[in-house]
Amino acid sequence: MNPIFALVDCNNFYASCERVFDPRLKGRPIVVLSNNDGCIVARSNEAKALEIPMGRPAFKLEEDFRRLGVEVFSSNYALYADMSVRVMETVAQFAPRMEVYSIDEAFLDLAGIPQDATAYCRMIRDTVRQWTGIPVSIGIGPTKTLAKAANRLAKRTPTAMGILDLTDPASQIEALRKIEVADVWGIGPRGGKKLQGIGIADALALRQADGERVRRLLGVNGLRTLYELQGTRCFGLEENPPAKKSIIVSRSFGKKIETLQALQEATATWAARAGEKLRQENRAAGVMSVYVMTSRFEQQRPYFNAQTVTFARPASDSRELIATALACVKNLFRPGLRFHKSGVILQDLVDRDHIQLGLFDRLDRTQSRRLMEVVDRINLRSGPPIFWAAQGTQTEWGLRSARRLPRYTTDWKDLPTVRAR
């Protein structure tokens, strides 16, 4: 049976999440800012039409925002993550196999669907919109690369109504001519420059190129992309993505940190979060690296330093991770500096169920595991979480998010209310 892939992609996902709970925003230009209300990381179609640039620092555009009536929001990652789960749970009901590709994208295997693929995808789109409020576009193709290309064109072609089918070879020729080679999935700007240098300007030209020449230029993955554009499947669904090789938790501070205590409290928070992520993957870390840095815009010479520690036994207990992070920060701290950011990196990850125990290990691993499971269960609920004393109670270093809307779906105190008249 020939495979049929569908790529379901949420339209302007962050901006769409903000609109779900505020109908007033429909049709208005929206931008979402990065951590600490820094740069623009997401734009609605209306904001794109106003040529508001992606990645530009928000403070440089404040006057433009006011003049153009742009709605500006702080990033609300708790809301976005929960809305993503709701979308993916909805989409999963329509196909026996699905790969969650990113927070707002999923590949479906539609092979064996006993009806017209476009009509079926229209039902998927309408159901996602009805159940979650999020608009999606869907591209259909015999390979993942062609499905990705179809999705890109579905968003740009008003007559497609959000759905484009490229399973018919005759429809692929004109469609691929409209896509620049750098925009082909798996090629990117760097690969695109190389291909443009030998006269390959669009996806159709890549599809028709000499395979050996492309392989020498871009390697085997470039050759596979060429085959995918020709309709030969080289990339299957990854229903069980490979285990992570590392876990990184880092943040810029809402304001500069000048004391050892504040720097330790912030980094302890990152270590606790890294421990939660580690246990969600049922992993333990053999190595921890901690880094601290000042802003590169400081008048004095910027400071960056890091320390790496190897655990005697792979660790997943937040207490052990926090204690190690605190010791590292103490060694890295320099008086008189204004610290801008710190981070925790966990590496050499192993399966938590297959750790070699040590004769002289002073930590009761069985008791540790039970304790962490209880803490994680409590923290997964909506409501006040359990935190470690090392994290402190003062969060003046926390992220700036002056324009963040409530976390409607993940925090009890942010639940929307309806008042009867």
Side-chain angles (χ1 to χ4, degrees):
M1 183 180 297
N2 293 328
I4 300 177
F5 295 99
L7 176 64
V8 181
D9 187 5
C10 301
N11 298 341
N12 308 312
F13 182 57
Y14 289 179
S16 294
C17 288
E18 301 291 352
R19 278 190 173 130
V20 168
F21 297 94
D22 189 352
R24 175 185 62 87
L25 298 174
K26 184 177 180 180
R28 297 180 65 87
I30 297 173
V31 299
V32 179
L33 307 181
S34 62
N35 287 340
N36 289 317
D37 293 344
C39 301
I40 296 172
V41 295
R43 303 165 297 167
S44 67
N45 286 335
E46 295 80 3
K48 294 175 185 177
L50 294 173
E51 298 184 350
I52 295 174
M54 190 75 158
R56 183 70 62 85
F59 75 89
K60 293 185 177 181
L61 298 172
E62 289 290 351
E63 179 57 37
D64 291 331
F65 293 155
R66 286 191 290 269
R67 178 172 55 84
L68 298 171
V70 177
E71 301 282 351
V72 184
F73 296 101
S74 304
S75 51
N76 194 345
Y77 295 120
L79 175 66
Y80 306 153
D82 187 67
M83 292 299 292
S84 173
V85 170
R86 293 170 186 236
V87 170
M88 298 308 167
E89 288 178 344
T90 303
V91 171
Q93 300 181 43
F94 289 91
R97 300 175 61 233
M98 180 178 83
E99 173 193 343
V100 178
Y101 182 66
S102 69
I103 190 172
D104 61 348
E105 294 176 281
F107 284 102
L108 304 181
D109 182 0
L110 298 184
I113 300 299
Q115 56 181 290
D116 176 66
T118 299
Y120 191 73
C121 287
R122 188 174 296 114
M123 182 170 60
I124 296 175
R125 182 200 60 188
D126 293 344
T127 303
V128 172
R129 186 63 181 264
Q130 181 181 6
W131 290 9
T132 70
I134 301 295
V136 300
S137 296
I138 304 177
I140 310 165
T143 68
K144 291 172 74 173
T145 304
L146 284 170
K148 188 81 171 177
N151 186 282
R152 184 178 188 86
L153 292 175
K155 291 186 175 185
R156 297 181 172 187
T157 308
T159 56
M161 302 293 289
I163 299 171
L164 186 63
D165 186 350
L166 290 184
T167 53
D168 180 8
S171 66
Q172 296 167 11
I173 303 298
E174 187 61 31
L176 295 180
R177 189 178 283 118
K178 298 176 182 178
I179 299 176
E180 294 183 10
V181 70
D183 293 331
V184 174
W185 186 51
I187 298 299
R190 184 177 298 180
K193 278 189 176 181
K194 293 179 180 180
L195 292 170
Q196 289 167 2
I198 61 172
I200 298 176
D202 55 43
L204 180 61
L206 176 57
R207 168 184 167 134
Q208 297 171 341
D210 177 69
E212 183 58 29
R213 194 179 186 189
V214 171
R215 187 193 65 79
R216 287 198 301 268
L217 202 63
L218 300 181
V220 68
N221 281 332
L223 181 60
R224 288 172 178 165
T225 299
L226 182 151
Y227 288 153
E228 287 251 321
L229 289 173
Q230 293 175 344
T232 301
R233 181 170 66 91
C234 297
F235 305 120
L237 290 186
E238 292 187 9
E239 297 179 86
N240 298 303
K244 294 178 181 177
K245 295 183 179 180
S246 64
I247 289 176
I248 303 174
V249 179
S250 63
R251 299 284 190 278
S252 299
F253 306 131
K255 74 176 202 176
K256 302 295 190 299
I257 286 179
E258 300 183 52
T259 67
L260 173 60
Q261 180 179 342
L263 187 59
Q264 285 185 319
E265 289 177 355
T267 310
T269 301
W270 314 155
R273 178 60 184 138
E276 291 175 356
K277 290 186 173 184
L278 195 63
R279 294 188 294 273
Q280 287 172 3
E281 300 277 336
N282 197 36
R283 311 282 277 174
V287 175
M288 170 187 276
S289 296
V290 176
Y291 72 85
V292 299
M293 61 185 295
T294 60
S295 172
R296 65 180 184 273
F297 301 112
E298 288 287 320
Q299 292 182 350
Q300 55 185 313
R301 183 177 179 181
Y303 172 76
F304 175 89
N305 205 351
Q307 182 175 355
T308 299
V309 175
T310 300
F311 295 106
R313 296 287 177 273
S316 62
D317 189 311
S318 289
R319 296 170 297 176
E320 195 172 0
L321 300 175
I322 289 172
T324 303
L326 294 178
C328 290
V329 171
K330 187 174 182 180
N331 294 331
L332 299 172
F333 179 77
R334 299 292 183 271
L337 297 181
R338 302 171 70 242
F339 290 92
H340 167 68
K341 185 177 184 179
S342 70
V344 172
I345 305 172
L346 302 180
Q347 297 172 295
D348 194 14
L349 307 187
V350 298
D351 191 322
R352 195 160 55 131
D353 295 329
H354 299 89
I355 297 175
Q356 180 68 43
L357 300 180
L359 182 62
F360 303 104
D361 192 351
R362 288 187 282 182
L363 183 64
D364 185 333
R365 298 290 169 179
T366 301
Q367 184 186 59
S368 163
R369 185 159 185 162
R370 290 173 180 169
L371 175 61
M372 292 301 106
E373 287 175 352
V374 171
V375 171
D376 289 342
R377 280 201 302 270
I378 293 174
N379 286 344
L380 282 173
R381 300 174 184 170
S382 298
I386 290 178
F387 67 94
W388 306 95
Q391 297 176 239
T393 57
Q394 303 298 318
T395 57
E396 67 273 9
W397 42 264
L399 294 178
R400 292 195 304 270
S401 53
R403 292 160 157 160
R404 190 189 71 193
L405 287 181
R407 291 162 291 188
Y408 296 106
T409 63
T410 60
D411 196 318
W412 283 106
K413 66 178 180 293
D414 285 346
L415 285 176
T417 58
V418 177
R419 293 181 175 86
R421 293 188 175 183

